[in-house]
Amino acid sequence: MKNLAGKKALILGIASNRSIAWGISESLKNHGAELAFTYQNEKLKERVEKLAGECGSDIVLPCDVSVDGSINQMLEKLSGRWSEFDILIHSLAFAPKEELEGNYIEKTSKDGFIQAHSISSYSLLELCQEAQPMLKGTNPSVISLSYLGAVRGMPNYNVMGVAKASLEANVRYLAYAMGENNIRVNCISAGPIKTLAAAGISDFRKMLDHVEKNSPLKRNVTIQQVGDTASFLASDGASGITGQTIYVDSGFNIIGMPSID
Ligand code: NAD
Ligand code: 0WE
């Protein structure tokens, strides 16, 4: 059970108690890990501090990955508390809201494209570049979050799909590059979940209903299920796994035809 005892995890991407990063935090904590957190802006600070407290953590640091030097400054502060750590969770993404609706050709701007790729994919590289010297446990593990839109055409996901394709390739190249230091890098491709990032996305409810109706398991996934998969990937039990995209989606990605009733 406590297979993460003695391991330390840094978690980026909590915005609320519905965040996938929160499901991951609770699972890592339950498996015995010690946690540290970051928040994107002052608006989120108190909320993240409260959730950190629930996990027995008082390490809560600012980090906006779109601001030059922010990752470096955050890790500099973290090194005052932890000289090394074992687990790095990257659970963040952004594209301009207006580009996540409508026709990809018509809606995608150069700025939006660059922003989506910078925040959702490049930030993982920068984080790994800066954190690598501190990732020193027995089996260090880096985990990011992706979505099926990386590898399939889908309505409305648009530039985020292209950025997630970049993220998944980024995971493979980072796995290659960090392998010589025994650091594993993987991502979890989660099914749709009602988080803040899903709020205001048109037809999100219909997407949840579609997965419930058509996935092999006939249900949606929870942040707890994603969290438990992250705990496995972070554990010594996954020491042979790197560069992978693991689907936690009730099997939705394998279907070739929806059920006909
Ligand atoms: P969320 O809104 O709870 O989390 C998104 C996080 O990204 C927030 O904490 C936000 O502060 C952070 N973020 C955005 N821009 C940032 C920046 N510049 N610097 C630092 N942090 C920034 O939503 P979520 O659904 O938990 O999203 C987490 C990850 O899961 C994302 O990568 C998302 O693409 C992925 N994902 C979500 C779903 C879903 O349906 N919710 C499905 C598959 C994958
Ligand atoms: O990765 C995501 C969403 C990421 C996201 C969400 C927002 C909303 C607020 C990125 N940028 C923003 N920008 C904002 O201003 N998901 C996997 C959830 C999601 O988003 C969709 C989906 C699904 C699923 C958008 C369109 C279609 C499907």
Side-chain angles (χ1 to χ4, degrees), residues 93-95 97 100 147 155-157 160 164 192 197 201 204 207:
F94 182 82
K97 193 174 176 75
L100 297 177
Y147 180 60
N156 302 324
Y157 200 58
M160 265 315 303
K164 289 298 192 190
I201 301 293
F204 199 81
M207 287 187 256

Side-chain angles (χ1 to χ4, degrees), residues 69 167 170 241 249 255:
L167 175 75
N170 207 347
I241 302 178
D249 68 344
I255 65 174

